[in-house]
Amino acid sequence: MKNLIEKAGRVKLLVLDVDGVLSDGKIIYDANGVETKAFSVKDGLGIKALKKYGIKTAIITGRSSPMVDKRAQEMGVAYVIQGRDDKLTALQELLAQLQGQGESVTPQDCAYMGDDLPDLKAIQTVGFAATVANAHSEVINRVDMVTTNAGGYGAVREVCDLILKGHGHYDDFLSNYLLAQTNSNQAAQS
């Protein structure tokens, strides 16, 4: 686990797939043919925490959906690339874009989280690779971390928490949700 936290501590950019990672992978159409997806609030909190501590996030997905744009905006994801089946090329283009903006982010500075075969080339390129519990077995065999949760059920949050731990920010992040302990509270507990 220590090695995993150290790897996560080098992450400057977390890149996420959508279907099967940020969502449960189901595509639901209503009677009018409008597509819907469900996203985990837990994942959103983790992504917002990364942003708070200066860790960039991006989405690269093979499908195109206005829901992805809306959810990404709510979470503060800075880079959204949709409709790209070649995720490695999309990742390389994103890194070139960041370089052009004066950001020094290499593939080794990236974490990539995907769940299926189209994600494999990107997964094999980055410094930290993660997948969900219900990912394709070929993906599971090639990543650093497999979450305990399935895609769409807080799996991204697990990776975000690990990245925060690796950067030494997790305790500060957690303190936002705990009551501050005073000396009298600590004395009463002694």
Side-chain angles (χ1 to χ4, degrees):
M1 181 68 161
K2 182 180 177 188
N3 185 38
L4 202 55
I5 292 173
E6 287 174 9
K7 272 189 162 191
R10 293 190 287 271
V11 171
K12 294 180 182 178
L13 171 69
L14 171 61
V15 181
L16 302 164
D17 181 25
V18 175
D19 295 314
V21 175
L22 280 168
S23 77
D24 64 6
K26 294 177 185 169
I27 300 168
I28 303 166
Y29 296 100
D30 69 12
N32 298 316
V34 177
E35 179 182 328
T36 63
K37 299 179 190 290
F39 298 99
S40 170
V41 173
K42 290 178 183 177
D43 292 342
L45 184 62
I47 291 168
K48 288 177 183 178
L50 292 182
K51 182 178 179 181
K52 175 182 176 183
Y53 293 102
I55 299 156
K56 295 175 180 6
T57 54
I59 288 173
I60 298 175
T61 181
R63 297 178 54 83
S64 294
S65 167
M67 287 164 287
V68 171
D69 285 328
K70 179 165 180 46
R71 185 63 179 142
Q73 183 180 17
E74 290 173 349
M75 296 184 298
V77 176
Y79 306 95
V80 179
I81 302 167
Q82 296 197 62
R84 296 294 300 272
D85 291 329
D86 185 344
K87 297 184 180 184
L88 175 58
T89 299
L91 174 61
Q92 291 168 335
E93 289 169 0
L94 173 60
L95 295 179
Q97 177 185 347
L98 289 169
Q99 186 93 21
Q101 296 171 353
E103 300 281 342
S104 176
V105 182
T106 68
Q108 288 302 306
D109 299 325
C110 295
Y112 187 97
M113 188 172 185
D115 70 312
D116 209 346
L117 300 180
D119 300 301
L120 279 176
K121 288 180 182 176
I123 282 170
Q124 292 175 298
T125 303
V126 298
F128 180 75
T131 195
V132 296
N134 59 330
H136 191 282
S137 62
E138 294 297 336
V139 175
I140 288 173
N141 291 334
R142 289 170 172 80
V143 296
D144 301 300
M145 177 185 183
V146 178
T147 63
T148 57
N149 288 313
Y153 293 93
V156 172
R157 175 64 173 280
E158 291 179 49
V159 173
C160 291
D161 286 352
L162 187 70
I163 292 170
L164 290 172
K165 288 175 184 176
H167 282 267
H169 299 305
Y170 186 77
D171 289 339
D172 183 63
F173 167 63
L174 185 61
S175 73
N176 293 300
Y177 303 97
L178 299 173
L179 292 174
Q181 290 197 328
T182 63
N183 289 337
S184 60
N185 285 345
Q186 291 172 350
Q189 293 174 354
S190 299

